Amino acid sequence: MIEVKSLIKRFGLKNVLAGVNFSAIPGEFVVLLGPNGAGKTTFLRILASLSRPTLGSVLVAGFKLPSEAAEVRMRLGVVSHNPLLYGDLTAEENLDFFGRLYNIHGRDSRIHEVLGLVGLSARRRDLVRTFSRGMQQRLSIARSVLHDPDVILFDEPYTGLDQDASEMLDGVLKSVAAAGRTVVMTSHDLARAEDLGTRFDVLNNGKIENSIKKQDMGTENLLAYYKRVLAG
Amino acid sequence: MIEVKSLIKRFGLKNVLAGVNFSAIPGEFVVLLGPNGAGKTTFLRILASLSRPTLGSVLVAGFKLPSEAAEVRMRLGVVSHNPLLYGDLTAEENLDFFGRLYNIHGRDSRIHEVLGLVGLSARRRDLVRTFSRGMQQRLSIARSVLHDPDVILFDEPYTGLDQDASEMLDGVLKSVAAAGRTVVMTSHDLARAEDLGTRFDVLNNGKIENSIKKQDMGTENLLAYYKRVLAG
Amino acid sequence: MSREQKPKADYFKSIMAITRKDLSAELRSRELLSAMLVFSLLVILIYYFTLELDIKNRNAITAGALWVTFSFAGTLGLNRSMAIEKDRGCLDGLLLAPVDRSVIFFGKALSNLAFMFIVEAIVIPVYAIMYNVNLLIPGFLGVTILGSVGYISVGTLISAMSVQTRTRDVLLPILLFPLVIPILVAAVKASNGYLLNLQWSEISPWINVLLVYNVIFLAVSFMVFDQVVEE
Amino acid sequence: MSREQKPKADYFKSIMAITRKDLSAELRSRELLSAMLVFSLLVILIYYFTLELDIKNRNAITAGALWVTFSFAGTLGLNRSMAIEKDRGCLDGLLLAPVDRSVIFFGKALSNLAFMFIVEAIVIPVYAIMYNVNLLIPGFLGVTILGSVGYISVGTLISAMSVQTRTRDVLLPILLFPLVIPILVAAVKASNGYLLNLQWSEISPWINVLLVYNVIFLAVSFMVFDQVVEE
Amino acid sequence: MSPQPKVLKALNIISLVLLIGGYYLSLFYAPTEKVMGNVQRVFYFHVATAWVGMLGFLLAALFAVIYLAKKDLKWDAYGLAAVEISLVFFFITIVLGSIWARPAWGTWWTWEPRLTTAAILELIYLAYLMLRQGIEDPEQRARFGAVYTILGGLSIPLTLVSIRMFRTIHPVVIGSGGSEKMGMTDSMVFVMLYCIVAFSIIFANMYWHRLRLGQLAEQVEQAKMKLEL
Ligand code: HEM
Ligand SMILES: Nc1ncnc2c1ncn2[C@@H]1O[C@H](COP(=O)(O)OP(=O)(O)OP(=O)(O)O)[C@@H](O)[C@H]1O
Ligand SMILES: Nc1ncnc2c1ncn2[C@@H]1O[C@H](COP(=O)(O)OP(=O)(O)OP(=O)(O)O)[C@@H](O)[C@H]1O
Ligand SMILES: [Mg+2]
Ligand SMILES: [Mg+2]
């Protein structure tokens, strides 16, 4: 569960987020749309407790940010523009390390499971720095769902993934959403977004300019909707 | 014009490219498909003279690599996984710098033109390091076409681009291909690939496993074709 | 789902997980340690070459030369150890983990300290042979340990800051050295006391300075660490 | 389209484009120069703090202290200047440009040299004032320039290598210092000769060493540079 | 892996015999030096190991040039093997020198140009190994290594002339008037020359083994690769 009220984030004198109101309930799959530089990454970093809001209140998984950040983090799965992995450790060691920090029970079998999920079982003993872009992205996804988080924040998770991996990620996201988790994802791939999301929010000019549920979209497709919103 | 014969590239003992034969003529738009880790980036880096072939002969724009690299580079436009830009310079200064190295006549007006093309005119005086991912990618594209190259090598150029920017890039690529340039692009976005490409090559297991011209595809769509090739 | 409690990882186990990760990555490549060691030897050599001190002067500067060496090698180690965290955004990954920020601080500080101790354990005997001085004095070694703890505790904090700036490779020594000069001076003075066999009354003030600085630096670094790692 | 010739950019203009880009980026942020300067001052301070030399000894080590300072500050500068190229893959960008690799070498070497000279131009007068020695001796300044040229020519080559390794922040001094020690020693000896007003016959061998090393290092670095920047 | 060729087997035995001969000659045959006494016997191995040490470093520089011209990884392997073996020999030189210095100069180590330049030379090649360690791609590793060994090779002459440029207590033998140095009798000269030749052959023997080891390791890697595929 996420609840954000009049969130402002300033870099220098520029208000990148200028009063964002946003909420998402369990089971909801929100796709965050918006042009380059709209502030999507900035917004997700704040939800992930990686960046402090300049003003405004943020509630994630029922806990306040930034004060109850530790509780939030335990329930959070994040994929960002960076892989968040150690190049000098193998795939397996990376997951083992994070597994310890998240205090996961049955760590080994869980690691085995997620590695299989993202199709990296065969490369689990290779150093991450020798991985291709798509392989790092896969491992990054494995890392983010390792502890079975309640809230999932994915910033362009399809970046660099091939067909197989994309289908795998489709499956992961669908099953997670079906299990009553909250998902917020950004993507520039509207076809994919349309297929997965249950709600579409457009971030533009520092505000959520529009929000629509899938069932309310009628016959209009997402691309048309998005263009209409941006056109004002 | 590109001609590659029995190209081998080895990392350590691993043959990442194990005998690639490839050629592309002016006006052809080749989309290079293949799963994560297939070696697409490695292949493009060799064509771009950034990486040396272990074995095999490579001809780009009529010149041999690596011996006539300087001639090749003059005619080459590259977009890679990295933006290839200086974070401490503004967008304009970056283009000006590369413009000098490429000895472009009428530099200022050309820079003005490409900045407009990628929609960054308004941000041209901002430091590149404050750009969002998509904005960096746009500038990276501007940089690559600055000198009006004969051969275009784009490695997942749509990464991070929003709708507008993607459409801009579609336009750029189509006009470039129509002007008789040679384009090689990798992408995991099959819908886009199908729309743009005139030929589709699948790189897998270190070889070009299949190559098909668009007019020969018949009613089969690209996704089905790609899956069939991978399935063997 | 929301407010029900989930079991948190044990405090000390989490610290050890971080330290262990650093040590095992280093054990694989051994690049950090070998770099610190070769660099130490180089600093000693350059010292000799550019200064050409005569024998009498040399003895008087043993402690000074060693501490300059340790602090330069230490910066190298601190820089690298934090750069590893920053490279693929790993620091963000650590910050996302449901552990207290102090866990990250202690985990990193412990592995930095381990690297520092290993380097000292090799450089001191080498120096003793090369300059023909006896350094196997318990008091001297004790001072070295004390000084290192102080150095590393501020160092870990400062390196976490400097690595997040654009000029990360250059900023660390500039921020760190002025802060640790009291520690360096106290350590040099106290070591010299032991090396020259001075009275305890002449050494103890410096030991006190070291202890006080250690406590203060450790406490402050530990307290403000979360401020420097969060955006 | 294929084999027809396109006009290439002028050799010297391209070199200047690279140097100018470095200088103007630096002019905007001034972070590299200020880092090198502050670091230089710190090294000088630490030297005196840990060594506690008396006046007589101080004069004898002026040249040594200055050259240790220059070489450490120089590494800082070299590292940063190449790291800028590597960060967003810029080095690839440079390599894609249709210019000879030697253009890149000379462009980077020139801007590195400019940074080095600026730092020297500030550190030398400050040192002269702080320690009350006269350093405005043409011979001394000439030696400083000679030594810097040699140092920077190998330094540019080595930093282009080290920045491409995994341990880039630590490897540069380790690779560079043992190679440039001949230059450092010769520069120190020759400078001392001028400072202590020795005969030309005592200075000239060192000047010769400097000249020989400069020529060799510059020639070799320039010749092999393309080997270290290409994959 | 093919078994050791006959020549190599013979060389093993010859090396061993030569080494034992060297021990015998230096420890028992050579006359006791008048001033320094028995420690001086270290001299023969000290000089011989210094010679092969520097020989290897020079060879590495030579192979580096060939590698850069030919780009055949074989030359890189040759260069690496030469450096590794020479590092060991040169380390022995330093240790033997130290052992000698203890009674001769009353200290294990003193700061003196020959010793210092020797230490620097050792450090250059340690740095070389560290450089290699930081690079994954074998081709890039070979190129960077080659460039660095060429630069390192330039430092060897300096180490040699250092004793002539500085006033120093480390003696100059070859090419000096011979006034100050210890009085070498003919038999001493013979033992010295013997040791130099003997160690050159031992060096060649070890070098061969080291190359074979490299090939073996490569085969193991290849076998592993096949298993994975
Ligand atoms: C490049 C390395 C070196 C070479 C080529 C070398 C060569 C030699 C030679 C030829 C001699 C015999 C001089 C004579 O008999 O007149 C000698 C003597 C000696 N060397 Fe070295 N040496 C090297 C490094 C070292 C090192 C690193 C040490 C000490 C740690 C050392 C300590 C000595 C000592 C103590 C003597 C005897 C000095 C005396 O007779 O008073 N040498 N060396
Ligand atoms: N550290 C910073 N300093 C100054 N401005 C910044 C900083 N980080 C981001 N910005 C600015 O904030 C705005 C939003 O950036 P953000 O990365 O959130 O965009 P985004 O919506 O994720 O875009 P994209 O789709 O391209 O990833 C941009 O205009 C960017 O220039
Ligand atoms: N420097 C390197 N050392 C060792 N292996 C490497 C190196 N660079 C790439 N590889 C390996 O080469 C293979 C091909 O990598 P490459 O980056 O070309 O793949 P790709 O087709 O671009 O994949 P993606 O779609 O994920 O970008 C991968 O298995 C990768 O692990
Ligand atoms: Mg973004
Ligand atoms: Mg790729």
Side-chain angles (χ1 to χ4, degrees):
Chain A
M1 202 256 320
I2 300 175
E3 219 170 308
V4 174
K5 284 207 190 97
S6 36
L7 170 66
I8 293 180
K9 177 71 185 182
R10 206 170 283 156
F11 284 113
L13 292 169
K14 188 162 58 185
N15 274 346
V16 171
L17 301 179
V20 169
N21 294 303
F22 179 94
S23 75
I25 54 170
E28 209 162 17
F29 190 131
V30 184
V31 181
L32 202 61
L33 307 170
N36 290 141
K40 302 180 293 300
T41 299
T42 309
F43 183 56
L44 286 192
R45 284 181 63 84
I46 291 175
L47 292 186
S49 78
L50 286 173
S51 179
R52 280 166 198 263
T54 308
L55 270 177
S57 87
V58 181
L59 222 75
V60 177
F63 296 92
K64 280 194 70 168
L65 277 180
S67 55
E68 299 175 308
E71 293 293 333
V72 173
R73 285 183 199 116
M74 189 125 47
R75 295 164 175 78
L76 214 58
V78 175
V79 167
S80 86
H81 287 339
N82 283 324
L84 314 184
L85 298 166
Y86 292 94
D88 280 334
L89 298 181
T90 65
E92 206 170 41
E93 287 169 338
N94 263 293
L95 295 182
D96 185 69
F97 170 62
F98 287 107
R100 280 170 201 275
L101 293 187
Y102 282 98
N103 197 24
I104 290 170
H105 290 285
R107 202 167 53 237
D108 288 347
S109 66
R110 177 65 184 157
I111 290 173
H112 189 80
E113 189 180 332
V114 292
L115 277 175
L117 188 71
V118 298
L120 284 177
S121 296
R123 301 289 297 261
R124 71 180 183 284
R125 299 255 157 83
D126 287 350
L127 296 190
V128 165
R129 86 179 111 75
T130 68
F131 279 14
S132 78
R133 174 197 265 208
M135 287 153 63
Q136 296 202 9
Q137 186 74 6
R138 287 171 183 224
L139 190 58
S140 184
I141 291 166
R143 180 201 162 289
S144 73
V145 297
L146 188 63
H147 53 294
D148 193 13
D150 294 336
V151 176
I152 291 201
L153 307 174
F154 278 12
D155 198 359
E156 301 184 33
Y158 287 91
T159 302
L161 295 185
D162 63 14
Q163 292 309 311
D164 278 1
S166 297
E167 279 164 22
M168 170 279 291
L169 183 54
D170 285 350
V172 169
L173 286 172
K174 277 182 180 156
S175 76
V176 154
R181 311 310 197 204
T182 313
V183 182
V184 183
M185 176 179 105
T186 74
S187 181
H188 293 299
D189 182 346
L190 296 188
R192 186 144 258 140
E194 186 159 21
D195 178 32
L196 290 167
T198 63
R199 207 183 87 202
F200 309 100
D201 285 19
V202 179
L203 186 64
N204 196 18
N205 298 322
K207 292 222 167 70
I208 302 276
E209 290 206 329
N210 212 316
S211 169
I212 192 169
K213 290 227 172 64
K214 189 186 231 158
Q215 65 262 35
D216 303 338
M217 291 235 311
T219 55
E220 194 182 20
N221 76 4
L222 189 56
L223 180 59
Y225 162 77
Y226 174 68
K227 290 202 165 164
R228 185 165 54 77
V229 172
L230 284 195
Chain B
M1 203 255 323
I2 300 177
E3 218 170 312
V4 174
K5 282 205 191 98
S6 38
L7 170 66
I8 292 181
K9 177 70 186 183
R10 207 171 279 154
F11 284 114
L13 293 167
K14 190 162 59 185
N15 273 346
V16 171
L17 301 178
V20 170
N21 294 304
F22 178 94
S23 75
I25 54 171
E28 208 162 18
F29 190 130
V30 184
V31 182
L32 201 60
L33 307 172
N36 290 141
K40 303 179 292 300
T41 298
T42 308
F43 182 57
L44 287 192
R45 284 181 63 85
I46 290 175
L47 292 186
S49 79
L50 287 174
S51 179
R52 279 166 200 258
T54 309
L55 270 177
S57 86
V58 181
L59 221 77
V60 177
F63 296 91
K64 281 194 68 167
L65 279 181
S67 54
E68 300 176 305
E71 293 293 334
V72 173
R73 285 184 198 113
M74 189 127 46
R75 296 163 174 79
L76 214 58
V78 175
V79 167
S80 87
H81 286 339
N82 283 324
L84 314 184
L85 298 166
Y86 292 93
D88 281 334
L89 298 181
T90 65
E92 206 169 39
E93 286 169 337
N94 263 292
L95 295 183
D96 185 69
F97 170 62
F98 287 108
R100 280 170 200 274
L101 293 189
Y102 282 97
N103 196 23
I104 292 171
H105 289 286
R107 202 165 54 235
D108 288 347
S109 66
R110 178 66 184 156
I111 289 173
H112 189 80
E113 189 180 335
V114 294
L115 276 176
L117 189 71
V118 299
L120 283 178
S121 297
R123 301 289 297 258
R124 72 181 185 283
R125 298 256 157 84
D126 286 351
L127 295 191
V128 167
R129 89 179 110 75
T130 67
F131 278 16
S132 78
R133 174 197 268 206
M135 285 152 63
Q136 296 201 10
Q137 186 72 8
R138 288 170 182 223
L139 189 58
S140 185
I141 291 166
R143 181 200 161 288
S144 72
V145 297
L146 189 61
H147 54 295
D148 191 14
D150 293 335
V151 175
I152 291 203
L153 307 174
F154 278 12
D155 198 359
E156 302 184 33
Y158 287 91
T159 302
L161 295 185
D162 63 14
Q163 292 309 311
D164 278 1
S166 297
E167 279 164 21
M168 170 277 292
L169 183 54
D170 286 349
V172 170
L173 285 173
K174 278 181 180 156
S175 75
V176 154
R181 312 309 195 203
T182 313
V183 182
V184 183
M185 174 179 105
T186 74
S187 180
H188 293 299
D189 183 345
L190 296 188
R192 185 143 259 141
E194 188 160 18
D195 179 31
L196 290 168
T198 63
R199 207 181 88 201
F200 309 99
D201 286 19
V202 179
L203 185 64
N204 197 18
N205 298 322
K207 291 220 167 71
I208 302 277
E209 290 205 329
N210 212 315
S211 169
I212 193 169
K213 291 225 172 68
K214 189 185 234 157
Q215 64 262 39
D216 302 338
M217 292 236 313
T219 55
E220 194 182 21
N221 75 3
L222 187 57
L223 181 60
Y225 161 77
Y226 174 68
K227 289 201 164 166
R228 186 166 54 77
V229 172
L230 285 195
Chain C
M1 83 197 211
S2 51
R3 292 203 69 100
E4 110 265 10
Q5 294 294 315
K6 282 196 179 188
K8 258 197 163 182
D10 183 69
Y11 195 81
F12 290 98
K13 270 197 197 149
S14 309
I15 293 179
M16 291 321 295
I18 293 177
T19 307
R20 205 224 320 240
K21 180 238 349 149
D22 279 359
L23 295 184
S24 72
E26 175 56 24
L27 229 127
R28 170 156 324 125
S29 61
R30 259 173 256 112
E31 56 198 18
L32 183 60
L33 276 175
S34 48
M36 286 170 82
L37 276 174
V38 175
F39 186 72
S40 303
L41 294 179
L42 275 170
V43 171
I44 294 179
L45 277 177
I46 289 197
Y47 240 67
Y48 155 73
F49 246 125
T50 51
L51 298 187
E52 297 202 345
L53 299 168
D54 46 54
I55 304 280
K56 200 182 67 36
N57 267 313
R58 264 184 217 162
N59 289 337
I61 65 156
T62 296
L66 276 175
W67 271 103
V68 169
T69 310
F70 294 156
S71 35
F72 277 106
T75 349
L76 223 63
L78 287 169
N79 226 342
R80 174 90 195 124
S81 150
M82 271 298 167
I84 289 175
E85 299 295 338
K86 196 68 186 172
D87 261 2
R88 253 160 264 257
C90 301
L91 191 56
D92 278 355
L94 269 188
L95 293 178
L96 280 171
V99 292
D100 206 81
R101 270 74 182 100
S102 61
V103 165
I104 303 177
F105 173 73
F106 284 120
K108 292 304 287 182
L110 264 184
S111 52
N112 288 335
L113 199 60
F115 295 143
M116 189 92 176
F117 281 159
I118 296 177
V119 169
E120 288 168 350
I122 299 177
V123 167
I124 290 179
V126 169
Y127 191 95
I129 293 174
M130 294 207 328
Y131 282 104
N132 201 18
V133 280
N134 178 21
L135 297 175
L136 252 177
I137 305 165
F140 173 81
L141 300 180
V143 169
T144 309
I145 293 177
L146 265 188
S148 308
V149 171
Y151 180 89
I152 290 292
S153 43
V154 218
T156 304
L157 175 73
I158 301 285
S159 66
M161 270 164 56
S162 66
V163 83
Q164 293 181 71
T165 62
R166 273 180 301 126
T167 39
R168 66 182 199 191
D169 359 17
V170 298
L171 213 54
L172 177 61
I174 292 176
L175 293 175
L176 181 57
F177 285 170
L179 287 180
V180 293
I181 277 189
I183 292 186
L184 293 186
V185 171
V188 168
K189 296 275 181 184
S191 309
N192 263 339
Y194 282 110
L195 291 179
L196 307 176
N197 239 324
L198 302 185
Q199 298 285 306
W200 169 244
S201 64
E202 294 206 43
I203 301 177
S204 65
W206 297 112
I207 302 272
N208 288 342
V209 171
L210 267 183
L211 285 174
V212 169
Y213 265 97
N214 272 7
V215 171
I216 295 179
F217 273 162
L218 200 60
V220 172
S221 305
F222 156 74
M223 285 188 311
V224 300
F225 188 73
D226 57 340
Q227 302 287 339
V228 310
V229 287
E230 280 175 25
E231 219 173 65
Chain D
M1 81 195 211
S2 52
R3 292 202 71 102
E4 109 265 12
Q5 293 293 318
K6 281 199 180 187
K8 258 193 158 187
D10 182 69
Y11 195 82
F12 290 99
K13 270 196 196 148
S14 308
I15 293 180
M16 291 323 294
I18 293 177
T19 307
R20 205 228 315 246
K21 169 212 42 116
D22 279 0
L23 295 183
S24 72
E26 176 56 24
L27 228 125
R28 169 151 328 121
S29 62
R30 258 172 258 113
E31 55 196 21
L32 183 62
L33 277 174
S34 50
M36 285 170 83
L37 276 173
V38 176
F39 186 74
S40 303
L41 298 179
L42 274 172
V43 171
I44 294 179
L45 279 179
I46 287 198
Y47 240 66
Y48 281 93
F49 252 122
T50 54
L51 297 187
E52 299 199 348
L53 298 170
D54 44 53
I55 303 283
K56 199 180 69 35
N57 267 312
R58 262 186 215 165
N59 289 336
I61 64 157
T62 295
L66 278 175
W67 270 103
V68 169
T69 309
F70 294 156
S71 39
F72 277 104
T75 351
L76 226 61
L78 287 168
N79 225 343
R80 176 88 195 127
S81 150
M82 273 297 169
I84 289 175
E85 299 295 337
K86 197 69 190 169
D87 261 2
R88 253 161 264 254
C90 302
L91 191 55
D92 278 353
L94 269 189
L95 292 178
L96 280 172
V99 292
D100 206 80
R101 270 73 183 98
S102 62
V103 166
I104 304 178
F105 173 74
F106 284 120
K108 292 305 285 184
L110 264 184
S111 52
N112 288 334
L113 198 61
F115 295 143
M116 189 95 174
F117 281 160
I118 296 177
V119 169
E120 288 168 352
I122 300 177
V123 168
I124 290 178
V126 169
Y127 190 95
I129 293 171
M130 275 174 46
Y131 293 102
N132 201 19
V133 279
N134 178 21
L135 297 176
L136 252 178
I137 305 165
F140 174 82
L141 300 180
V143 169
T144 308
I145 291 176
L146 264 188
S148 308
V149 170
Y151 180 90
I152 289 293
S153 46
V154 219
T156 304
L157 175 73
I158 300 281
S159 66
M161 270 167 50
S162 69
V163 82
Q164 294 182 69
T165 64
R166 272 181 301 125
T167 37
R168 66 177 198 194
D169 355 18
V170 297
L171 215 52
L172 177 62
I174 291 175
L175 294 175
L176 181 58
F177 285 170
L179 291 180
V180 295
I181 277 187
I183 293 184
L184 294 187
V185 172
V188 169
K189 295 272 182 189
S191 308
N192 262 339
Y194 282 109
L195 292 179
L196 306 176
N197 239 322
L198 300 186
Q199 297 284 306
W200 170 242
S201 66
E202 293 208 42
I203 300 177
S204 66
W206 298 112
I207 302 270
N208 289 341
V209 172
L210 268 182
L211 286 174
V212 169
Y213 265 94
N214 272 7
V215 171
I216 295 180
F217 274 158
L218 198 59
V220 172
S221 305
F222 155 72
M223 284 188 311
V224 300
F225 188 74
D226 58 338
Q227 302 283 348
V228 311
V229 287
E230 276 176 28
E231 216 173 68
Chain E
M1 182 88 189
S2 53
Q4 297 188 4
K6 281 214 180 71
V7 190
L8 180 56
K9 277 185 185 155
L11 204 57
N12 289 339
I13 296 165
I14 294 172
S15 301
L16 191 66
V17 171
L18 283 174
L19 185 64
I20 292 169
Y23 276 122
Y24 171 77
L25 287 177
S26 58
L27 293 182
F28 302 107
Y29 171 78
T32 308
E33 210 264 339
K34 284 184 239 55
V35 191
M36 280 174 283
N38 278 325
V39 251
Q40 183 268 342
R41 294 177 187 281
V42 151
F43 159 74
Y44 305 106
F45 279 29
H46 176 67
V47 174
T49 49
W51 152 248
V52 288
M54 287 199 277
L55 175 71
F57 294 149
L58 281 175
L59 278 180
L62 185 72
F63 294 150
V65 174
I66 300 178
Y67 173 78
L68 290 184
K70 292 241 168 85
K71 290 283 155 59
D72 183 344
L73 281 176
K74 158 179 104 181
W75 295 104
D76 178 55
Y78 290 177
L80 175 64
V83 168
E84 281 182 354
I85 295 176
S86 284
L87 265 176
V88 175
F89 275 115
F90 211 69
F91 187 67
I92 295 174
T93 310
I94 296 176
V95 169
L96 290 180
S98 279
I99 290 172
W100 195 1
R102 181 69 190 163
W105 304 333
T107 169
W108 295 108
W109 185 268
T110 178
W111 291 100
E112 180 274 340
R114 165 54 69 76
L115 273 53
T116 313
T117 48
I120 290 171
L121 205 56
E122 186 86 3
L123 284 179
I124 288 182
Y125 290 94
L126 281 178
Y128 164 79
L129 292 185
M130 290 173 58
L131 171 65
R132 296 185 67 100
Q133 206 195 8
I135 308 171
E136 248 91 69
D137 180 16
E139 208 262 333
Q140 190 186 36
R141 185 164 54 213
R143 259 182 303 113
F144 284 21
V147 166
Y148 199 68
T149 32
I150 290 173
L151 291 171
L154 296 175
S155 296
I156 299 175
L158 181 92
T159 310
L160 284 176
V161 298
S162 67
I163 42 176
R164 292 185 175 74
M165 292 214 50
F166 297 79
R167 265 170 283 120
T168 161
I169 59 172
H170 194 282
V172 183
V173 196
I174 301 123
S176 77
S179 50
E180 289 172 50
K181 61 176 182 153
M182 56 190 182
M184 287 240 277
T185 65
D186 286 351
S187 54
M188 283 172 148
V189 173
F190 165 72
V191 178
M192 182 182 83
L193 292 178
Y194 171 89
C195 282
I196 288 179
V197 173
F199 267 92
S200 305
I201 293 172
I202 294 169
F203 178 88
N205 185 36
M206 289 179 67
Y207 190 59
W208 196 332
H209 279 292
R210 173 64 185 78
L211 286 181
R212 281 173 52 86
L213 191 71
Q215 285 157 4
L216 197 67
E218 196 169 318
Q219 282 170 5
V220 169
E221 279 292 304
Q222 250 153 9
K224 257 202 261 172
M225 286 273 307
K226 283 209 185 95
L227 274 183
E228 272 175 24
L229 292 178

